[in-house]
Structure formats: C-alpha cells, structure tokens
Amino acid sequence: MTYDLIVIGSGPGGYVAAIRASQLGMKVAIVERSELGGICLNWGCIPTKALLKSAQVFEYLKHAADYGIKVNGGEADFAAVVKRSRGVADGMSKGVQFLMRKNKIEVIKGTGKLVAGKKVEVTTDGKATVYEANNIIVAVGARSRELPNLKIDGKKIIGYREAMVLPTLPKSMVIVGSGAIGSEFAYFYATMGTKVTLVEMLPNIVPVEDEEVSKTLLKSFTKLGIDVRLEASVQSVDISGTGCKVKIKDAKAETTVDCDVVLSAVGIASNLENIGLEDLGIITDKGKIVVNAFYQTNIPGIHAIGDCVGGQALAHVASAEGIICVEKMAGQNPEPLNYNNIPGCTYCQPEVASVGYTEKQAKAAGYELKIGKFPFSASGKASAAGAKDGFVKLIFDAKYGELLGAHMIGMNVTEMIAEIVVARKLETTGHEIIKSVHPHPTMSEAIMEAAAAAYGEVIHL
C-alpha cells in the first residue's frame, strides 16, 4: 500500500506522468474513477477527431465531382459515425491499459481523495482504502463549465460529452461559444446536415487566434451555411416545448432561434471539489491549484498538473507538465515549460493552428515587426488537393529576426505547426527558415514562402 508516487487521474497528464516515473525507477500507482485515458482519450481529443474525419469523408463525397469522380447517392449514417468514434476511443483506452501493464503501474479503480500525511483515500463501491506515497500528483482534469442561464440537462441543453453520442442527428442546433470545442462541433454538425447557429460574445470566432485567421474561418463557416452571431449572448433558453427557444441578444436586437438542442461550449471548470484540498490547506486561486514552475503545491510532496492548474488546458500541455514534474521529483534538472511556445490546434475544416504571439499581442509587447503571409491559393499542392483556402502568417521581430509567432489556417496545418514550435525552441531566425529547403510540392512550403515574404524574398507571389 506504499508507493513512491500515486497519481490521481489517468488523463494525458496523469498516465504520462506515471509512465515517466516508472521509467525513472519509481514504484507507481494511478487512481482512476472512470476510463483509463481520461477525458482526452474517451470523451475529448480522440473521439472528436474520429467524428470530424467522418464529416470530412462525407464532405469529399458531396464534392467528388470536383475531383472528376462520379458518386451516386452518398448518405451519412449518423449512428454508425458515432459508433466508429466510440470504437476509436475504446481502442485508445485499451492502449493505455497495455502501457500501464508494460510499465508495471498499478491501476486503482475508484475515486481518490487527498488525506494528511501523503495519503490517498480511494473509494470503490462505497468501500474506502487508504494508500501511502512519498509523492502524490493531482491530475483530476476538468469538465464543461456551466453558465447560470445555460444549465446542462444532458438532453436539450448539452455539453461536449453528450454532443459526441446523440442518438439521432438533430435538424437544428445552437452552439454557444466558438473556441476549439464549439468550432469543431459547428463544422461537424453543419457538414452532417444540421442547421447550426454559432453564438460568440466576442468580436471574432476562435477568439484566441490571430484576427486574420478568425476572419478567414468565419468566411468558411458562412459558406458552409453556419449562422454565426458575433458580439452576441444567449439571454435564456425555453425548453418547455418539444424543442428549444433560444433568445440571442446582440448590439442590434434580441431575436429568438428555434432549435432541437443547445450545445454549451463556453469553456471548462477544474474538478477540484471533494478531493481533500481544503483539508490539507492546499492553496487554490480562481478555480485552479497554485503550483510553482515544477508543479509543486504549497504542501511538500503534493503536486498538481493539467487542467486543474494554470496554463493552457490542452492535452499536450498536461503531458509535458507531468514529465517535468516527475523528472524534478526524481532529482533531475528539467527546464521549466515555456507557455509561450505551446501550439494550439482546432480541427474543423479548414484547420487552424498557431503558436506564440498574435500580431496584436506582438505590437502590444512593443516589438517592431516584419510579417510574412503566404496564401494556399498560390500553393501547387493545395491546388492539386482542392484545398486553396487559408494561409500561413509568420511574425518576426524586425530587430533581431526572432520568430515571435505563427498562424495558419488551411488543410493539414495542425500537422505543420510543430515545425514552428521546434524552430522557436531553437531560436531560429527568418533567414534560417528561408534557407532551409522545403520539399515540393507540399503544404509546408508555405512556411518557407511566408518567411521569405517577410523579408521581401518571396518567389511564388
């Protein structure tokens, strides 16, 4: 019952931390109340990408004639799409089970709670068992945030979890919030045939992205038939009838939209309740556990990572935090995570990917800028693929050539952003990117061309 490390939560932060700790010679246990892999593998990143792939295939079928292919019919089987998504998620969760066995990590099923003296109380089927450890990592993740006037009932007003397993395709849907979750579901349901209204209280959709990216995605969404309401808010939802009557207020007027279901995608809230934080005196702030650069709380031996601490609520961030945390725990000297070099990806079509400063942020930080932009309409590979929408935009410090940020929208850009992350980590300059030969024809050539555009050397514009 005594371990070197107990991890509470088996999401992409928790299970990665557990594996790295085992690699470093620790005796490790992981506590999970639901499926191994957490929200990401089971109800987040992975199954949504499976849904989006089905939507993309359906979109290809609808536009097959554009590629010289004749297709008779072509109908979406919504139940089969959902079933495939759940099968992908189940396979990934089984993969984590294998990794736990391979790395000799004990999996303890149940709900974990911190107890004084570096102990974890795990309750399973009403029975509580106490385990001890030299170190504990809290990796409990988060859930859909609820607005006071948008209470999730799981039927007419739903969160992302219910949106993945609806029994039938709704004819109409209002989505509240246009971040990554809201935009991905907007694309998915609109492509499958649902009439989608997307409500965003800020002036741009995907509001954390560069404004040029947001405006380009807005054009694509509008072309897809999505009714986008900007600088708007949901005042109330009447669910007394067969469907929902949604009152939406913007600067001009208040209108009512009838729909079958409302999806609340207004962010997340950390799962901090009833895990013993108050009993131990662990400091929290604004719904997050306070930690230092190596994820240590104010209580020795207690650490926290992932969506329950500050920083971007992203799976790859949680994984990186978990590795840094256990390496420091093991006496190594890991480098603290640079939160300004974290890539963000949105997997609608066209895809969105970015890292570092937006143009507005870079100007506000006082930099003099060189900006290069290369449209995919000038890319041979994009033309051949029938995916000419979008661009790559690179932002450089004019004085020293530092690559401050990158913003991409287009086909497969989520696979391209890693080049920029590595380049920024290595403190690469614009001229070094220009002189790094990129393969032709590829979408990734646009990165080299955008860098060349910033310095007046672009060839294909």
Side-chain angles (χ1 to χ4, degrees):
M1 298 295 187
T2 302
Y3 300 87
D4 296 311
L5 173 65
I6 294 177
V7 182
I8 304 175
S10 73
Y15 87 75
V16 168
I19 291 171
R20 185 69 184 115
S22 178
Q23 290 174 344
L24 292 168
M26 298 185 201
K27 181 184 178 184
V28 185
I30 194 163
V31 179
E32 177 54 61
R33 66 184 180 183
S34 189
E35 306 101 332
L36 280 172
I39 293 297
C40 176
L41 265 65
N42 295 283
W43 298 100
C45 320
I46 304 306
T48 54
K49 303 311 158 285
L51 293 175
L52 290 164
K53 186 62 184 181
S54 292
Q56 185 185 35
V57 170
F58 189 40
E59 195 170 26
Y60 272 136
L61 283 175
K62 289 190 286 186
H63 296 280
D66 296 342
Y67 298 87
I69 306 296
K70 291 183 179 179
V71 176
N72 294 322
E75 184 181 341
D77 183 340
F78 186 72
V81 167
V82 171
K83 183 179 179 181
R84 175 182 180 272
S85 170
R86 299 317 309 155
V88 170
D90 185 58
M92 294 299 295
S93 187
K94 285 183 169 64
V96 177
Q97 292 176 30
F98 164 75
L99 291 174
M100 295 298 98
R101 292 193 300 270
K102 176 186 174 185
N103 289 280
K104 298 180 174 58
I105 297 165
E106 182 175 347
V107 177
I108 304 170
K109 297 296 292 183
T111 302
K113 180 179 179 179
L114 297 169
V115 180
K118 296 183 184 177
K119 296 177 182 178
V120 177
E121 180 184 270
V122 181
T123 302
T124 309
D125 297 329
K127 180 183 177 183
T129 306
V130 176
Y131 302 85
E132 293 185 41
N134 296 324
N135 289 282
I136 298 167
I137 294 178
V138 178
V140 292
R143 62 187 182 279
S144 289
R145 185 166 70 94
E146 286 190 81
L147 296 178
N149 62 337
L150 207 61
K151 291 289 186 182
I152 294 172
D153 63 13
K155 294 180 180 178
K156 290 186 177 180
I157 302 177
I158 62 174
Y160 61 81
R161 188 163 180 148
E162 293 86 3
M164 276 184 264
V165 290
L166 288 178
T168 57
L169 180 69
K171 292 181 179 178
S172 55
M173 172 183 283
V174 170
I175 299 177
V176 187
S178 72
I181 294 172
S183 290
E184 288 179 1
F185 277 118
Y187 165 76
F188 169 72
Y189 277 105
T191 302
M192 298 301 288
T194 300
K195 173 59 182 171
V196 174
T197 302
L198 181 61
V199 182
E200 173 54 58
M201 68 180 297
L202 294 172
N204 296 296
I205 58 172
V206 284
V208 301
E209 302 295 342
D210 190 88
E211 287 185 9
E212 287 191 85
V213 169
S214 297
K215 286 178 170 58
T216 300
L217 185 61
L218 175 61
K219 290 178 183 176
S220 293
F221 275 8
T222 303
K223 187 177 178 182
L224 190 59
I226 299 171
D227 179 8
V228 180
R229 309 285 185 94
L230 296 173
E231 297 184 86
S233 60
V234 171
Q235 300 297 296
S236 64
V237 181
D238 181 357
I239 58 173
S240 59
T242 54
C244 305
K245 292 186 177 296
V246 186
K247 282 189 179 180
I248 302 171
K249 184 178 181 181
D250 60 21
K252 297 178 181 178
E254 184 173 279
T255 57
T256 299
V257 174
D258 293 324
C259 66
D260 295 331
V261 66
V262 176
L263 169 57
S264 177
V266 293
I268 59 172
S270 300
N271 296 319
L272 302 188
E273 301 85 359
N274 306 313
I275 60 170
L277 300 179
E278 300 85 355
D279 297 340
L280 270 66
I282 293 173
I283 297 172
T284 62
D285 181 48
K286 298 176 182 177
K288 302 285 186 179
I289 299 172
V290 176
V291 294
N292 65 12
F294 299 103
Y295 312 102
Q296 298 159 339
T297 70
N298 60 303
I299 303 299
I302 309 296
H303 312 71
I305 60 171
D307 292 359
C308 63
V309 304
Q312 298 97 321
L314 299 168
H316 44 283
V317 171
S319 296
E321 290 173 345
I323 290 170
I324 291 169
C325 179
V326 297
E327 287 181 349
K328 184 69 173 179
M329 196 184 294
Q332 297 190 357
N333 190 31
E335 183 181 340
L337 191 59
N338 176 7
Y339 288 95
N340 194 36
N341 198 30
I342 300 296
C345 297
T346 303
Y347 297 84
C348 51
Q349 293 295 332
E351 293 183 344
V352 174
S354 63
V355 66
Y357 290 96
T358 63
E359 181 179 347
K360 183 182 285 188
Q361 289 168 343
K363 286 178 178 176
Y367 289 102
E368 183 184 342
L369 305 180
K370 281 187 180 294
I371 297 175
K373 186 177 169 185
F374 189 82
F376 285 121
S377 58
S379 162
K381 177 65 180 292
S383 292
K388 296 194 291 183
D389 290 344
F391 57 85
V392 171
K393 177 179 178 179
L394 301 185
I395 302 168
F396 297 95
D397 170 28
K399 188 174 182 181
Y400 297 111
E402 179 187 357
L403 178 51
L404 298 174
H407 307 277
M408 308 178 185
I409 179 168
M411 184 182 74
N412 286 340
V413 295
T414 58
E415 302 291 345
M416 292 164 51
I417 194 66
E419 173 182 344
I420 303 297
V421 178
V422 174
R424 295 185 78 234
K425 176 70 174 174
L426 297 175
E427 301 181 353
T428 300
T429 66
H431 287 293
E432 288 172 326
I433 294 174
I434 295 168
K435 300 307 178 185
S436 297
V437 178
H438 285 58
H440 174 79
T442 61
M443 302 290 284
S444 65
E445 284 176 292
I447 294 173
M448 177 182 67
E449 294 274 19
Y455 287 90
E457 300 177 21
V458 67
I459 299 297
H460 292 99
L461 279 183

